[in-house]
Amino acid sequence: MAATTPQNAGLSAVPSYEQEQSQARFDALIEQDSRIEPRDWMPEAYRKTLTRQVSQHAHSEIIGMQPEANWITRAPSLKRKSILMAKVQDEAGHGLYLYSAAETLGTPRDELNDQLMSGRAKYSSIFNYPARSWADMGAIGWLVDGAAIANQVPLCRASYGPYGRAMVRICKEESFHQRQGFEILLALSRGTEAQRKMAQDAINRFYEPSLMMFGPPDEQSPNSAQSMAWKIKRFSNDELRQRFVGMIAEQVKVLGMTLPDPELRFDEETGRWIHKELNWDEFMAVIKGNGPMNSHRLERRREAHREGAWVREAAAAYARKYENSEVA
């Protein structure tokens, strides 16, 4: 998808009546649960919110390749290597879909990349935790990708067309990733005592960070309510977290493992899952760049960008040559 010029550029020069008419059309599309497309007029705040959310999602897919790519050569069998390699390749594709969607909002991909590598843009906090064992590949697939699915399936109905359409394919592939992670843990849970301990340790470490992937509690989330009003999001952070907890509370029984949450229970009176208080101070510290792997992840991304310079230069040279031959 090619980048487009924001339709709101120079709004101060647009007559007030036309602004009101454009806003009315936008509001009607949202109310009708229709899609906003790149060439449609949209409020600048809507464009800004989407650019932030879609680009952060893209950054998360790209950074998220790192912990799993580090385990490809150490996977316990050729089958496991090939599956993990395919998964990492999928994540790269997801990042490209999402960068393309973000570009339709008017921000070039080079600028989006620069925001990430300079530390000005954020990505999911979960990828700033280390992957210490093979069982972590299972925990990441089951818990991290499981949380991603719970969050992203409603985004298939996002009000912005390019984002919603990209999410349809991404969610189909993420469902395979989640099954792959669960299968790794299932195999380990049926193995030796050491393998079972390794699986339980991975679950213990990734449980709380995966619950925090949905963002802070609703009363502390500055953007959630507006995103829901614009129908970018369909459910609040806490609603999505509830869905996820209910899912994994049942699935962990199949594994014969436990979740590291002595307070976890279903409250019949409220119809809600009760879980332990999450460490939101840690969450904010990681978001601000002080997590266990923040500096490492960003430096590895910068290194990869530098090493790939010759590929970008060659592609650009080929594109110029092709354009010149077409003109001739």
Side-chain angles (χ1 to χ4, degrees), residues 94-293:
H94 297 173
L96 295 179
Y97 303 152
L98 291 164
Y99 280 132
S100 293
E103 283 185 300
T104 67
L105 291 158
T107 304
R109 190 172 310 197
D110 287 346
E111 184 176 337
L112 297 173
N113 271 313
D114 183 64
Q115 290 172 2
L116 171 64
M117 290 183 289
S118 66
R120 289 179 289 133
K122 307 299 182 185
Y123 55 87
S124 181
S125 61
I126 193 73
F127 300 118
N128 289 313
Y129 291 87
R132 297 172 179 167
S133 73
W134 171 249
D136 286 19
M137 298 301 97
I140 289 172
W142 178 48
L143 292 174
V144 176
D145 292 329
I149 291 169
N151 187 45
Q152 292 171 11
V153 166
L155 292 175
C156 294
R157 298 166 53 215
S159 59
Y160 188 59
Y163 191 27
R165 289 189 288 271
M167 291 312 306
V168 171
R169 179 168 180 175
I170 289 172
C171 286
K172 289 179 180 178
E173 293 177 349
E174 290 289 1
S175 67
F176 284 101
H177 301 170
Q178 196 260 356
R179 293 178 197 176
Q180 174 230 1
F182 187 83
E183 196 275 330
I184 289 174
L185 292 177
L186 185 63
L188 292 172
S189 73
R190 296 173 177 175
T192 66
E193 182 61 25
Q195 288 172 324
R196 290 193 291 274
K197 286 183 178 179
M198 182 170 62
Q200 184 64 66
D201 175 66
I203 292 171
N204 291 349
R205 286 184 288 106
F206 278 93
Y207 169 73
E208 187 167 349
S210 68
L211 263 60
M212 292 191 285
M213 285 177 64
F214 298 98
D218 293 341
E219 63 273 13
Q220 299 176 24
S221 180
N223 303 308
S224 186
Q226 183 60 73
S227 291
M228 291 175 65
W230 280 327
K231 297 184 180 178
I232 299 170
K233 291 178 61 172
R234 298 289 173 154
F235 302 98
S236 72
N237 296 350
D238 287 334
E239 288 173 324
L240 293 169
R241 194 166 12 251
Q242 280 284 307
R243 290 183 172 202
F244 177 62
V245 170
M247 178 182 74
I248 61 174
E250 294 302 314
Q251 292 177 351
V252 76
K253 297 175 184 177
V254 179
L255 294 173
M257 300 284 166
T258 59
L259 296 173
D261 190 346
E263 300 176 33
L264 185 62
R265 62 182 176 84
F266 186 73
D267 188 337
E268 296 286 353
E269 292 186 7
T270 62
R272 294 180 64 81
W273 286 92
I274 306 299
H275 57 77
K276 67 180 182 180
E277 182 64 29
L278 303 177
N279 189 344
W280 294 112
D281 289 339
E282 176 183 315
F283 174 80
M284 292 308 300
V286 175
I287 287 292
K288 292 177 181 178
N290 299 315
M293 301 292 287

Side-chain angles (χ1 to χ4, degrees), residues 53-67 91 95 98-99 116 122-127 152:
Q53 179 172 333
V54 178
S55 62
Q56 287 183 7
H57 193 166
H59 299 330
S60 299
E61 297 284 357
I62 298 302
I63 296 292
M65 296 164 60
Q66 291 187 35
E91 307 296 1
L98 291 164
Y99 280 132
L116 171 64
K122 307 299 182 185
Y123 55 87
S124 181
S125 61
I126 193 73
F127 300 118
Q152 292 171 11

Side-chain angles (χ1 to χ4, degrees), residues 7-16 19 22 41-44:
Q7 301 297 305
N8 306 52
L11 260 185
S12 59
V14 179
S16 174
Q19 289 185 45
S22 297
W41 184 93
M42 63 189 77
E44 197 57 36

Side-chain angles (χ1 to χ4, degrees), residues 36-80:
I36 307 298
E37 297 297 342
R39 293 186 180 278
D40 292 337
W41 184 93
M42 63 189 77
E44 197 57 36
Y46 177 85
R47 185 186 302 278
K48 183 178 180 180
T49 295
L50 270 168
T51 301
R52 175 186 55 80
Q53 179 172 333
V54 178
S55 62
Q56 287 183 7
H57 193 166
H59 299 330
S60 299
E61 297 284 357
I62 298 302
I63 296 292
M65 296 164 60
Q66 291 187 35
E68 293 170 312
N70 288 337
W71 276 93
I72 290 175
T73 58
R74 294 177 285 171
S77 68
L78 183 60
K79 175 184 176 182
R80 296 291 188 193

